[in-house]
Amino acid sequence: ILKGLKILAICLVVLISKPSKANEQERVSYDEKLETLELIKTSNPKLAREMLKELESSLSELSDEQKDLYKLYFAHSLAIMGKYDQSQSELENLALTATTIDLKARAHSLLSNIYLFEGEYKDAFVHSARSLENLADLDEKKLHKFAVLQNASSLYKQSGLLTKAMEYSRQMLSIAEKQRDVLKLCVGNYEMASWEVEKSSVEIADLRLKSAENYCDKTGDDIFKVLVAERRAEYFLLKEDQEAAIDSLKAWEERVKEIDYKSLSNLYEIKLSEAYLASGKLDEALIYADSAYNRTKKYNDSTRLMEACKILASIYSEKNDLEKSVEYYQEYMQLEKQLEIITNQRKLAYYMASVQTN
């Protein structure tokens, strides 16, 4: 009987071309779940996978745009788990079939990230260019335009194309300030604070970091809180306040272990080791540098491995163990040369991709 009533209700909906209140509530519920996924897909991948599994059983009830969002977040989840081939396949299909320019752009943007990680630089720039084709028309209210800009900034920054990278970072902050969205303000101020720290603009960096700390605290996103703490530690090192740098990082030690993101752990331990080295606490510096070295070696994080080698060379030099110091310094020099070659390859790939997409 219940089944028959349900079929009758569906038929009535079709006949009067008006959604029932129950269907409207379901649609809102799905929208809320997808909005939550957007926010937690990186910071809480386990919960994201659980939510995706729940949505999978309701795919037939989703609108076309909701289905596309599900596909995007599912592909992102696959990438987080290191299943890059599967993720690429999902995204390539989404880039062709997505019902909105926003989701086509997001698919190309995430593909760009994956190709960059795999060392396919030309493909990374081709997909980045495609994600930016309709930038002016992308939705600013949701995270679509912001996410595309963030990925583009990261790609260009890692490729040594700093002017373009900073341009995209500035656009991110402009969107955030216009909308007063807390998450966007957190990320936008963090990005600009990073630029100021790298330029050693201490006063401006301090202002940007204070803004980033304020907004990131409000988001509750611990990953960005750790990233901001790492930049704050670098700020303190610029001011030669080593103890403050150590304190700003040590407060996050247990949480970094709980999060267990390899790249975040590498970044954290290298900066903490650097702070201990600057303060003359060599044994503590060695513990964290050693840990970072082993992890970066295991997971092929060449940029962080190079940084770990440089710190280890300095630590052993201070300990008067010249043999080990030279060993790590030589490895550092080899990695630096490799990174220079890779950066040049990325720049060449950018120009080749520019010709291909124009």
Side-chain angles (χ1 to χ4, degrees):
I1 294 171
L2 288 174
K3 187 176 180 183
L5 288 172
K6 187 175 180 183
I7 292 169
L8 176 61
I10 292 169
C11 290
L12 286 171
V13 166
V14 174
L15 283 170
I16 62 176
S17 299
K18 182 178 180 181
S20 70
K21 188 174 181 181
N23 281 348
E24 284 181 354
Q25 289 173 342
E26 284 181 358
R27 181 69 56 86
V28 170
S29 174
Y30 293 139
D31 281 339
E32 288 173 350
K33 286 180 181 179
L34 289 163
E35 285 171 10
T36 301
L37 271 167
E38 177 76 88
L39 298 176
I40 67 159
K41 64 184 185 298
T42 300
S43 60
N44 195 337
K46 183 179 178 182
L47 178 57
R49 286 195 296 273
E50 291 171 1
M51 291 184 70
L52 284 165
K53 194 169 183 180
E54 286 177 18
L55 282 169
E56 186 180 9
S57 62
S58 308
L59 281 178
S60 61
E61 300 170 24
L62 303 187
S63 68
D64 288 342
E65 185 174 351
Q66 288 173 332
K67 286 176 184 174
D68 286 345
L69 281 167
Y70 167 83
K71 291 173 186 175
L72 178 71
Y73 303 147
F74 178 65
H76 184 279
S77 178
L78 289 171
I80 288 283
M81 292 187 287
K83 298 178 180 179
Y84 300 116
D85 289 343
Q86 287 177 254
S87 181
Q88 283 174 349
S89 178
E90 293 284 339
L91 291 167
E92 295 279 7
N93 184 56
L94 181 59
L96 291 171
T97 63
T99 54
T100 67
I101 59 169
D102 295 301
L103 289 167
K104 284 181 183 288
R106 290 291 296 275
H108 282 299
S109 183
L110 186 49
L111 273 168
S112 174
N113 268 14
I114 293 171
Y115 279 119
L116 173 63
F117 184 83
E118 293 185 319
E120 301 290 340
Y121 309 125
K122 184 182 174 184
D123 286 332
F125 280 111
V126 165
H127 283 286
S128 179
R130 287 176 182 163
S131 75
L132 296 163
E133 281 175 350
N134 297 301
L135 186 64
D137 299 320
L138 298 186
D139 191 339
E140 286 190 5
K141 291 179 182 177
K142 296 180 181 178
L143 277 170
H144 299 316
K145 187 172 185 176
F146 194 84
V148 166
L149 286 167
Q150 186 179 9
N151 286 343
S153 176
S154 176
L155 169 64
Y156 283 94
K157 191 174 186 179
Q158 290 184 56
S159 303
L161 298 158
L162 303 184
T163 302
K164 289 189 75 68
M166 185 175 283
E167 174 192 331
Y168 294 133
S169 293
R170 286 197 179 111
Q171 287 187 55
M172 288 168 60
L173 186 59
S174 175
I175 290 171
E177 290 178 338
K178 190 192 306 181
Q179 295 178 0
R180 307 309 300 169
D181 179 273
V182 173
L183 177 60
K184 292 175 184 174
L185 284 164
C186 160
V187 178
N189 277 286
Y190 163 75
E191 289 282 344
M192 291 309 299
S194 296
W195 285 111
E196 299 303 341
V197 168
E198 287 175 25
K199 292 192 297 181
S200 301
S201 305
V202 177
E203 291 182 8
I204 301 174
D206 186 36
L207 292 173
R208 288 291 185 205
L209 283 167
K210 283 177 180 174
S211 292
E213 287 160 347
N214 175 40
Y215 292 119
C216 292
D217 279 346
K218 291 176 181 176
T219 67
D221 190 321
D222 284 349
I223 290 177
F224 267 102
K225 290 181 188 178
V226 174
L227 291 172
V228 172
E230 188 272 341
R231 291 291 79 193
R232 175 59 81 181
E234 179 63 21
Y235 163 83
F236 282 131
L237 290 175
L238 287 172
K239 293 189 71 178
E240 298 185 355
D241 190 345
Q242 293 86 2
E243 291 305 317
I246 292 168
D247 290 344
S248 72
L249 291 168
K250 286 292 285 183
W252 287 99
E253 186 164 20
E254 290 306 313
R255 187 67 186 112
V256 169
K257 289 177 183 176
E258 288 170 7
I259 294 170
D260 194 29
Y261 275 1
K262 302 301 182 283
S263 58
L264 185 69
S265 298
N266 294 340
L267 182 77
Y268 173 83
E269 290 184 345
I270 285 168
K271 189 57 62 181
L272 188 53
S273 176
E274 186 182 340
Y276 274 125
L277 174 61
S279 69
K281 297 176 180 178
L282 302 181
D283 291 337
E284 290 89 340
L286 182 58
I287 290 169
Y288 291 102
D290 242 347
S291 175
Y293 175 85
N294 292 329
R295 191 186 304 104
T296 53
K297 195 109 174 172
K298 181 178 180 179
Y299 292 99
N300 199 28
D301 184 350
S302 56
T303 301
R304 302 298 173 205
L305 177 59
M306 182 181 72
E307 293 173 7
C309 287
K310 187 177 182 180
I311 293 171
L312 283 165
S314 297
I315 292 170
Y316 281 112
S317 177
E318 291 293 319
K319 284 177 164 285
N320 293 316
D321 189 337
L322 298 183
E323 185 177 344
K324 280 193 174 181
S325 178
V326 169
E327 178 187 330
Y328 282 113
Y329 187 72
Q330 286 176 337
E331 187 174 358
Y332 161 74
M333 291 295 291
Q334 289 171 355
L335 288 163
E336 188 179 45
K337 286 179 184 176
Q338 290 172 15
L339 190 62
E340 186 179 348
I341 292 169
I342 289 170
T343 302
N344 289 334
Q345 287 174 341
R346 288 175 181 172
K347 288 180 180 178
L348 177 61
Y350 163 68
Y351 293 116
M352 291 172 66
S354 298
V355 171
Q356 182 175 326
T357 53
N358 286 336

